Amino acid sequence: MLPGDGIGPEAMREVRRVIDWLDRRRSISFDIDEGLVGGASYEAHGTPLTDETLEKAMRTDAVLFGAVGGPQWDNVDFELRPEAALLRLRKEMDLFANLRPAICFEALAKASSLKPELVSGLDILIVRELTGGVYFGEPRGIENMPNGDRRGVNTQVYTGEEIRRVARVAFDLARKRNNLVHSSEKANVMESGLLWREEVTKVHDTEFPDVQLQHILADNCGMQLVREPKQFDVIVTDNLFGDMLSDVAAMLTGSLGMLPSAALGMRDAQGRAKAMYEPVHGSAPDIAGKGLANPIATILSFGMALRYSYDLPEEADLLDKAIENVLAGGLRTADIMQPGMAKVSTEVMGDAIVRELEKLTA
Ligand code: NAD
């Protein structure tokens, strides 16, 4: 557990209570090691991520990351900024598959910018390639041209293996869901998109013929996500399109305080993949320490760890159900407050979720 800065530790405290409950009531005990990361680590050790913490992260089944950053570190050197810890963890652990679910809890359907019937019951998963593509491709830069003008260059580049490994993650996840994968690129105008389409098809035909595969151009995918989002199950796409499509999908479901994510690496010989789970939101310094933070994104991130790292789908479903019931009961943190509902603190929300878990298993 790396709670980090701002609201990170507050939200993580509520995850601890869920973990304590699992230990007490379901006899599932976790070996937990907690460390400093981000600004908290910088203050204690002069670096946002110590080698020792990184080494532990590399060995553990799952890293649960809170959030890092804050205005007090705005003037620190770039490589010592809190956010550098996150980038280093992702890079060293080679977390190439970013999982961003967009799940719409019934009780929050009215808070979506789309009509409730379009999003109610929505459950889609976007798998974004995270370590390749145009954000990393060379050459890159801003050049001065002989005519005195300037030229900005970035390169979209993917190898077959980079495509195949993220496709495998998507097909594998689809098997545990509704068995449908949409692969999204721009094969009509980009060679890298054409390669993407060919390689995904190859992986499908040779390793996952039982999963339904559909190719969809990325612009159409964006359109379909806001037109009829429930037609999707798993969407696999590259780094750039994934960045945009996952934000579009996320906003179908409401607040930043509700959005979990996971980043997975390669499976080893024992079938174990390095993994990091974290809420999509940041450290929210504007509300830190006030009991206002919504802990649900962090709790749902732990739920993803139950599902994808610990193979405990029953407990993950139970946790989802408990959160759904608490929301249906009318409790809201400030960020998801609606008229007629009861506004509660971080701790009361955590409390209510644990009490609901208790009720569901009584
Ligand atoms: P942010 O996500 O921290 O906050 C954006 C807005 O959403 C704020 O008004 C905040 O109060 C609200 N919010 C976010 N999470 C919430 C929650 N769980 N409950 C209730 N309200 C919530 O983004 P920001 O303000 O742009 O960034 C703040 C700091 O966090 C910066 O230092 C930034 O670099 C860092 N950051 C870190 C991560 C990360 O650790 N993964 C991600 C994004 C930003």
Side-chain angles (χ1 to χ4, degrees), residues 3-5 7 11 65-74 81-83 86 90 255-259 261 278-288 292-298 333-336 346:
D5 310 316
I7 63 169
F65 189 96
V68 292
Q72 59 271 56
W73 300 292
D74 275 354
R81 297 270 295 261
E83 293 80 358
L86 195 54
R90 285 184 186 149
S255 160
L256 210 47
M258 296 291 302
L259 297 170
S261 80
E278 52 171 319
V280 170
H281 64 71
S283 56
D286 53 334
I287 58 164
L292 290 174
N294 184 348
I296 294 178
T298 310
T333 43
D335 59 312
I336 51 172
T346 310

Side-chain angles (χ1 to χ4, degrees), residues 298-357:
T298 310
I299 295 176
L300 285 172
S301 301
F302 172 67
M304 291 184 79
L306 291 176
R307 209 179 284 285
Y308 301 124
S309 284
Y310 301 111
D311 207 14
L312 293 168
E314 208 179 302
E315 279 69 21
D317 287 346
L318 197 61
L319 189 53
D320 287 350
K321 187 75 191 151
I323 291 169
E324 192 182 322
N325 289 359
V326 166
L327 293 171
L331 297 195
R332 298 283 187 278
T333 43
D335 59 312
I336 51 172
M337 187 58 191
Q338 289 165 299
M341 303 289 153
K343 189 150 106 182
V344 299
S345 67
T346 310
E347 197 181 338
V348 171
M349 182 56 90
D351 244 350
I353 292 168
V354 170
R355 249 184 297 119
E356 191 60 33
L357 283 168

Side-chain angles (χ1 to χ4, degrees), residues 48-239:
L49 180 72
T50 63
D51 291 340
E52 190 197 352
T53 304
L54 173 64
E55 199 259 326
K56 281 184 189 166
M58 301 284 278
R59 275 191 285 116
T60 190
D61 290 322
V63 174
L64 193 59
F65 189 96
V68 292
Q72 59 271 56
W73 300 292
D74 275 354
N75 296 321
V76 171
D77 283 350
F78 198 71
E79 65 281 5
L80 293 177
R81 297 270 295 261
E83 293 80 358
L86 195 54
L87 300 182
R88 184 157 176 231
L89 278 164
R90 285 184 186 149
K91 182 162 180 284
E92 299 284 338
M93 292 169 77
D94 197 12
L95 303 172
F96 63 87
N98 184 211
L99 277 49
R100 291 265 303 259
I103 296 169
C104 187
F105 289 96
E106 210 66 46
L108 296 184
K110 283 205 193 85
S112 170
S113 52
L114 295 194
K115 295 190 196 85
E117 63 271 24
L118 286 181
V119 292
S120 155
L122 180 75
D123 179 1
I124 62 187
L125 179 64
I126 299 202
V127 179
R128 164 189 171 193
E129 201 291 326
L130 199 59
T131 54
V134 73
Y135 294 163
F136 297 95
E138 301 278 349
R140 61 185 298 158
I142 298 177
E143 303 161 359
N144 291 317
M145 291 162 68
N147 69 0
D149 202 356
R150 297 191 303 159
R151 211 165 79 102
V153 179
N154 289 94
T155 306
Q156 166 82 336
V157 52
Y158 271 108
T159 64
E161 180 50 27
E162 283 174 322
I163 299 166
R164 291 190 297 274
R165 66 181 188 171
V166 74
R168 281 188 193 102
V169 171
F171 286 126
D172 212 28
L173 291 167
R175 274 184 177 159
K176 295 180 188 160
R177 298 169 47 95
N178 293 320
N179 227 31
L180 170 63
V181 171
H182 280 80
S183 170
S184 187
E185 28 55 13
K186 288 285 285 176
N188 54 341
V189 286
M190 295 169 75
E191 283 75 9
S192 57
L194 190 58
L195 183 77
W196 183 281
R197 187 173 285 218
E198 288 173 2
E199 293 295 329
V200 170
T201 304
K202 207 186 299 171
V203 170
H204 172 260
D205 293 354
T206 53
E207 299 170 46
F208 300 89
D210 53 303
V211 180
Q212 204 189 329
L213 168 65
Q214 290 188 16
H215 300 285
I216 183 166
L217 296 176
D219 48 342
N220 186 27
C221 191
M223 214 154 64
Q224 295 300 329
L225 270 173
V226 292
R227 196 183 72 88
E228 200 194 330
K230 282 191 257 181
Q231 68 184 288
F232 295 106
D233 178 23
V234 175
I235 297 172
V236 64
T237 187
D238 74 14
N239 204 343

Side-chain angles (χ1 to χ4, degrees), residues 245-268:
L245 293 174
S246 61
D247 273 12
V248 171
M251 276 304 112
L252 301 175
T253 71
S255 160
L256 210 47
M258 296 291 302
L259 297 170
S261 80
L264 306 182
M266 207 68 152
R267 287 196 184 281
D268 62 18

